[in-house]
Amino acid sequence: GGPPSRRQLATPPCLKCGGTRAQFVARQREPLCRTCMEESIQNKIKAAILRPGKRGSASLTQDDTLAVACSGGFNSMAMVHVLTNLAEMEAQRARPRFRRGLKVIHVVTSDSSSDSVASVGASVAAIDPTIAYFAVPLRYVVESDERLRELVLGGGSQLQGSSGEPRSAEDLDLNSIIEGCSLTVSARASMGRLLVKLLCLRVAKVLGSSKLALGCNATYFAMHTLASILRGSGFALPAELQYLDSRFGSWSLPAIIHPLRDSVSKELLLTCYLHGVAFVSSERDIAGDRTDVKSLCKDFIFTAQDRLPSTVLTVMKTVLKLDYNGITEEEMKVLDGSGMIKREKMCQLCSSPMCTFTLSKHFALSQQQRQNGPERDTELQERFCYSCCSMFEKIDKNFRLWSEAGEQTSILRDHFGGSSGRTSDVLDGSDVSELIEEIKVMETEVGGRYPAIAAQPVAVANNRRGMTCAYCRENRAMLKRPKTKESVCKECFYRAFEEEIHQTIVNEKLFTRGDRVAIGASGGKDSTVLIHVLKTLNERYDYGLELFLLSVDEGIKGYRDDSLETVARNEQQYEIPLEVVSYKDLYGYSMDEIVAQIGLRNNCTFCGVFRRQALDRGAVLLNANKIVTGHNADDIAETVFLNVLRGDFPRLTRCTNSITGEDSALPRCKPFKYTYEKEIVMYAFHKKLDYFATECIYSPQAYRGVAREFIKDVEIVEPVCILNAIISGDEMKLGANSERMMQDQGQCTKCGYITSQKVCKACVLLEGLNSGNALSGMSRQACQPLHRH
């Protein structure tokens, strides 16, 4: 009785059933009641397991026995709860599609307490007392198959706690191995995750399970996507995001399934709360770890998802459009007779598809001073992917622990050596201990890539007064390179900075003698340093280039008019001809007039489209055949993440190219592809170059700023991540099924400008401005692409 309250009036009805008031908001902000919300989550997990409509592609069948990796967090506990309910529902069918009876594996790490282990066991028992629960210490990963079987099947309640030392590993300190992998927190965390995953697989095999379920949800995979890109392993992502991952079958280990792939973390957390499922949470899970790259990626994904709920699904769809590192095109070379990936085509450490070591990867490795010599490099690169080679320090010694030994005494012997048939030196217990000691005291070899600036061992004194240059070992170190964290003198820094750009120009074949090159000059630090370095290298190495300055006047008062004065001074300082083109002359509008009409929300879209075309038109006036821009490594890394977040996979596959538009009349080159923004600032500051440092007054509202802030946070933790993001972008290719989404280049039917649409974007935007409805040109319907046939 009585009129409804204001809250009842404001609460919309359930979008699905319409019969009751909504109590929750789903991942796409759809209002749902409790019943519909629970059904939605359960149906997503059920669909991920059974794959309806795809005959023969079910992740779990009646013949499978399932083990579940459970960390005790809300993801894995919600998975155990839902899988138990689904199994009970299947048992009531005349022909069940998969069996009842789960085996839960909980890996006890050094961070786990006896209380948390008991809590996880109690939570599992509360869901279903018949579930077999196994708490296995992480140190068991070093045991042989026979010893592991004895410990797991014969340990009983002894495994519920963390007591009991494995006899064959009493002298082995697992933490020292993980600590010896790298000096970085992220690499040690990655090694720990690899060991946990491997132990779960081996225990599942001992328990007779044919499938292992992991609690990786859509939010985790989105976070994992960003972290993999930052490790330089973005090429392996399509393999890791499948519902069924059979990559470990060649090692006779169970296949991995991902029942939660289509569910986001908030839905799983809600499941635990609604059904009273207890879970374990740590302070680190809540507060995060600002020294771990993966933790930064998690925070970034949560922030982006709050801003745009479709972010997680967009990231996953983007990754799944990519090619599985060439397996589509070279299937016969990669797969064996049973359809499994050949062992030699997989990294022996992380099981990712192997990749070709390109110039960019060698460059990144050399920047981290981790190249030991051509022979050993070649051997390592044949066994391990780039990500593992770059992530772990002391690689040649450390990876001996992961070798394919003839006896079951080295770490991961059963994982890597079970069916290889190879023979190698046998490592007994004492040899392993000696290797650990070698890891602790071993000095990393330093190798230089460029003869002119070959790196030498660094003699570091106890105080800064006695610190010498890492390159010349003579002068006092005055700077610390942001890219490599080396302490160097000014002259060596200048030389190294210039030589790395020269190597990029030479290796990427950016120019040929006689080219007329238009340098995009904005007056900022990037373009000013680009002008200075290109002129210097052109004279030093006799490139034979004819250089011009090309500036675009967008018509932004208080910003562009001041920066153009700087460009005019650069014209006089470097004695290079200058050409200025303006929006007002080309399009009839200045940027100030456009912002007055559309506001601040989408102004960067108009400016970017107009600026790109203005540069081309200005280059035509100069009769130039190439355009050079000052896009640096930070800019390119930001673009990689922006394209992933937006789902723009056609641009994702080409945004890291050092030359774009090679087939057009005006290719664009990026000599700063591997040059960090901080080093550009240092170079300009110490060289006392004349540049304009004010930010555009309209740019703070740009979406790119979100990616820029994330990149800066990551760079503080691990500077090499910027190069790794570029390497991941270089390796990403569209799969064969996605080729139809690529677009042909043609000419605009209105202005004749090169475009992939029937009418170029600039003409579409101009039409909207002229009609008084500027935002009409922002819609997808406004552009009609020219698809490939």
Side-chain angles (χ1 to χ4, degrees), residues 757 761 764 775-785:
Q757 318 290 332
K761 190 66 175 179
V764 172
L775 297 181
S776 63
M778 302 289 296
S779 64
R780 292 181 180 271
Q781 291 76 12
C783 300
Q784 301 179 22

Side-chain angles (χ1 to χ4, degrees), residues 463-530:
N463 53 63
R464 185 168 182 82
R465 181 179 297 277
M467 186 177 293
T468 57
C469 175
Y471 294 157
C472 67
R473 300 183 63 194
E474 295 178 357
N475 299 329
R476 178 184 172 186
M478 302 293 292
L479 307 171
K480 189 170 185 178
R481 295 196 65 182
K483 183 188 294 185
T484 61
K485 297 185 178 179
E486 297 169 307
S487 298
V488 296
C489 65
K490 285 186 179 181
E491 293 304 320
C492 286
F493 169 70
Y494 298 153
R495 185 73 174 181
F497 182 87
E498 295 165 359
E499 289 301 312
E500 288 171 8
I501 297 172
H502 168 65
Q503 291 294 329
T504 302
I505 292 173
V506 172
N507 292 336
E508 303 285 348
K509 300 179 181 179
L510 300 187
F511 307 122
T512 57
R513 179 172 291 275
D515 281 343
R516 293 172 61 89
V517 179
I519 304 174
S522 65
K525 61 183 186 313
D526 296 321
S527 61
T528 302
V529 172
L530 179 62

Side-chain angles (χ1 to χ4, degrees), residues 639-657:
T639 304
V640 170
F641 284 105
L642 281 176
N643 289 330
V644 170
L645 294 173
R646 291 170 173 167
D648 196 343
F649 25 83
R651 285 191 175 91
L652 177 61
T653 58
R654 63 174 185 266
C655 66
T656 59
N657 294 344

Side-chain angles (χ1 to χ4, degrees), residues 69-130:
C70 179
S71 66
F74 65 85
N75 292 308
S76 55
M77 295 307 301
M79 178 173 63
V80 173
H81 171 78
V82 175
L83 287 178
T84 301
N85 289 342
L86 289 176
E88 292 176 355
M89 294 170 58
E90 287 295 317
Q92 300 174 5
R93 293 171 54 95
R95 300 177 63 181
R97 289 169 288 188
F98 56 87
R99 299 181 187 178
R100 296 180 62 181
L102 301 179
K103 300 173 183 177
V104 175
I105 303 170
H106 174 59
V107 176
V108 183
T109 63
S110 58
D111 297 331
S112 303
S113 64
S114 57
D115 292 338
S116 66
V117 175
S119 176
V120 174
S123 299
V124 172
I127 295 174
D128 186 353
T130 64

